[in-house]
Amino acid sequence: LAFALAQHRAECEFRSGDLARAEARLAGLAGQAANLPELAAITQLQLELLLTDGRREEAVGVGLAYLDRAGISWSRQPSAADVACEWARMWRALADHPIERLRDQRPMTDPEVSATMRVLVELMQPAWYTDDNLRTMVVVRMVNLSLSHGNSDDSSMV
């Protein structure tokens, strides 16, 4: 309960323009998150705050730190080979999914994967402006997560 209240307080601080206080509170909460969905909620707010403040490079760092905790280790500037691997994973998965089956894909139910999808949506904008390969990795990973775990509301972003 205390974590949720502090999260809401940080969001109120952010939305009311007290960015410094919100940023400090969110940084503390990120270290206290008990699981990936909690950390994802904090990370989403951190990304929003950093983007509001025009700090795209820092936003990328925060997003990548979350992804690292979620088991996805990416560079700030992925190589063309990294991108090719992500694309190859997608094409292998699509081989098992006829187009007709994609529209009837089951809903995404894993809370950790859903949380990661939400962070990837927030990471899309700073990635767009900082590195073409990173942007591609974000988008293709969202497709891959949707193919392997089902569709979520965030799947429609790609």
Side-chain angles (χ1 to χ4, degrees):
L1 179 61
F3 184 88
L5 289 172
Q7 176 185 344
H8 290 299
R9 183 173 180 181
E11 184 171 6
C12 288
E13 291 164 344
F14 164 48
R15 305 274 183 228
S16 66
D18 192 350
L19 300 185
R21 186 168 289 160
E23 185 173 359
R25 190 174 311 283
L26 289 169
L29 287 170
Q32 297 173 11
N35 53 49
L36 276 179
E38 279 185 3
L39 180 59
I42 298 305
T43 301
Q44 285 175 266
L45 284 171
Q46 287 175 307
L47 290 172
E48 278 186 67
L49 185 149
L50 291 168
L51 289 172
T52 297
D53 206 24
R55 295 158 50 196
R56 293 180 184 134
E57 290 288 337
E58 288 179 62
V60 167
V62 167
L64 291 177
Y66 168 86
L67 291 177
D68 195 51
R69 290 216 13 216
I72 302 170
S73 295
W74 287 348
S75 163
R76 284 178 176 270
Q77 298 176 317
S79 68
D82 294 331
V83 173
C85 286
E86 198 67 34
W87 277 111
R89 184 178 303 138
M90 183 193 78
W91 289 116
R92 280 192 307 273
L94 281 172
D96 298 334
H97 289 79
I99 295 297
E100 300 78 33
R101 252 186 59 205
L102 291 177
R103 76 166 176 248
D104 299 325
Q105 181 95 336
R106 71 190 185 286
M108 188 177 288
T109 57
D110 185 319
E112 290 186 357
V113 176
S114 296
T116 298
M117 283 288 284
R118 289 189 301 276
V119 170
L120 287 167
V121 166
E122 293 297 327
L123 183 56
M124 199 179 308
Q125 184 182 4
W128 185 274
Y129 291 103
T130 57
D131 186 85
D132 288 340
N133 285 343
L134 182 58
R135 177 190 68 228
T136 302
M137 294 283 285
V138 168
V139 171
V140 179
R141 179 56 62 104
M142 289 176 68
V143 171
N144 286 333
L145 289 174
S146 296
L147 289 171
S148 61
H149 295 280
N151 287 325
S152 71
D153 291 341
D154 298 310
S155 299
S156 65
M157 294 295 295
V158 292

